[in-house]
Amino acid sequence: MEILIRNALDREGYCLNGMENNWLFAEKIVQSISGHNRIIIEGKAPTRVIAIENHNDEIEIYMNNGWQVNLKLSLSELSMINDIRLVGVPVM
Protein backbone atom coordinates (compact mmCIF):
# COMPACT_ATOMS: atom_id res chain seq x y z
CA MET A 1 0.00 0.00 0.00
CA GLU A 2 2.84 2.37 0.77
CA ILE A 3 4.18 1.95 -2.78
CA LEU A 4 0.77 2.85 -4.24
CA ILE A 5 0.66 6.04 -2.16
CA ARG A 6 4.26 6.95 -3.00
CA ASN A 7 3.63 6.44 -6.74
CA ALA A 8 0.37 8.42 -6.64
CA LEU A 9 2.02 11.31 -4.75
CA ASP A 10 4.92 11.32 -7.20
CA ARG A 11 2.61 11.31 -10.23
CA GLU A 12 0.67 14.29 -8.79
CA GLY A 13 3.93 16.24 -8.35
CA TYR A 14 4.31 15.89 -4.59
CA CYS A 15 7.68 15.44 -2.93
CA LEU A 16 7.55 12.94 -0.08
CA ASN A 17 9.51 14.67 2.68
CA GLY A 18 9.38 11.92 5.21
CA MET A 19 7.72 8.92 6.70
CA GLU A 20 8.29 8.44 10.36
CA ASN A 21 6.27 6.34 12.81
CA ASN A 22 3.70 5.56 10.08
CA TRP A 23 3.22 9.31 9.39
CA LEU A 24 3.52 10.72 5.83
CA PHE A 25 4.43 14.31 4.99
CA ALA A 26 4.40 15.44 1.34
CA GLU A 27 4.32 18.84 -0.30
CA LYS A 28 4.00 20.38 -3.74
CA ILE A 29 4.79 23.93 -4.83
CA VAL A 30 2.28 25.43 -7.27
CA GLN A 31 2.33 28.72 -9.16
CA SER A 32 -0.66 30.99 -8.65
CA ILE A 33 -1.56 34.64 -9.23
CA SER A 34 -0.28 35.50 -5.76
CA GLY A 35 3.05 33.72 -6.31
CA HIS A 36 4.29 30.34 -5.14
CA ASN A 37 2.06 28.37 -2.79
CA ARG A 38 2.62 25.05 -1.08
CA ILE A 39 0.07 22.26 -0.88
CA ILE A 40 0.81 19.96 2.03
CA ILE A 41 -0.52 16.46 2.64
CA GLU A 42 0.08 15.09 6.10
CA GLY A 43 -1.39 12.06 7.81
CA LYS A 44 -1.07 8.48 8.91
CA ALA A 45 0.00 6.06 6.20
CA PRO A 46 -2.57 3.42 5.22
CA THR A 47 -2.24 0.06 6.90
CA ARG A 48 -5.13 -1.85 5.33
CA VAL A 49 -7.48 -1.90 2.36
CA ILE A 50 -11.12 -1.23 3.24
CA ALA A 51 -12.71 -1.78 -0.18
CA ILE A 52 -11.84 -2.32 -3.83
CA GLU A 53 -14.23 -1.35 -6.62
CA ASN A 54 -13.70 -2.50 -10.20
CA HIS A 55 -15.02 -0.31 -13.06
CA ASN A 56 -14.07 -1.86 -16.43
CA ASP A 57 -10.42 -0.81 -16.86
CA GLU A 58 -10.19 1.14 -13.58
CA ILE A 59 -9.84 0.01 -9.99
CA GLU A 60 -10.66 2.25 -7.03
CA ILE A 61 -8.87 1.28 -3.81
CA TYR A 62 -10.15 2.65 -0.50
CA MET A 63 -7.71 2.40 2.42
CA ASN A 64 -7.93 3.34 6.06
CA ASN A 65 -6.72 6.71 7.39
CA GLY A 66 -8.42 8.56 4.50
CA TRP A 67 -6.35 7.36 1.51
CA GLN A 68 -7.89 6.50 -1.85
CA VAL A 69 -6.22 5.78 -5.21
CA ASN A 70 -7.48 5.05 -8.71
CA LEU A 71 -5.56 2.65 -10.97
CA LYS A 72 -6.12 2.63 -14.73
CA LEU A 73 -5.27 -0.76 -16.20
CA SER A 74 -4.22 -1.74 -19.69
CA LEU A 75 -7.14 -3.34 -21.55
CA SER A 76 -4.82 -5.77 -23.32
CA GLU A 77 -2.99 -6.88 -20.16
CA LEU A 78 -5.02 -6.33 -16.99
CA SER A 79 -2.01 -6.81 -14.72
CA MET A 80 -0.33 -3.73 -16.29
CA ILE A 81 -1.01 -0.37 -14.60
CA ASN A 82 -1.13 2.53 -17.09
CA ASP A 83 -1.90 5.33 -14.63
CA ILE A 84 -2.33 5.93 -10.92
CA ARG A 85 -4.15 8.90 -9.41
CA LEU A 86 -4.49 10.10 -5.87
CA VAL A 87 -8.22 10.54 -5.21
CA GLY A 88 -8.53 10.88 -1.44
CA VAL A 89 -6.09 12.04 1.22
CA PRO A 90 -6.31 12.37 5.01
CA VAL A 91 -8.06 15.52 6.23
CA MET A 92 -6.35 17.21 9.13
Side-chain angles (χ1 to χ4, degrees):
M1 285 181 287
E2 182 183 327
I3 291 172
L4 284 176
I5 298 300
R6 284 178 184 268
N7 288 343
L9 286 169
D10 185 54
R11 188 225 176 260
E12 299 287 335
Y14 285 89
C15 178
L16 186 62
N17 290 333
M19 183 172 172
E20 194 172 307
N21 296 329
N22 203 31
W23 195 263
L24 287 169
F25 180 82
E27 68 179 335
K28 165 169 80 169
I29 297 175
V30 293
Q31 181 69 33
S32 68
I33 294 173
S34 62
H36 295 292
N37 293 313
R38 288 192 297 175
I39 300 173
I40 297 172
I41 295 176
E42 183 177 10
K44 284 186 127 184
T47 56
R48 64 186 165 85
V49 172
I50 296 172
I52 297 175
E53 292 182 7
N54 189 355
H55 305 281
N56 296 329
D57 65 337
E58 292 187 14
I59 295 176
E60 200 84 26
I61 302 174
Y62 301 88
M63 295 167 269
N64 67 332
N65 300 327
W67 295 96
Q68 179 182 351
V69 294
N70 179 283
L71 305 173
K72 187 162 180 77
L73 305 175
S74 168
L75 289 175
S76 61
E77 189 177 332
L78 291 178
S79 63
M80 175 88 111
I81 297 173
N82 281 346
D83 193 18
I84 183 169
R85 289 186 302 126
L86 193 60
V87 179
V89 297
V91 178
M92 301 304 293

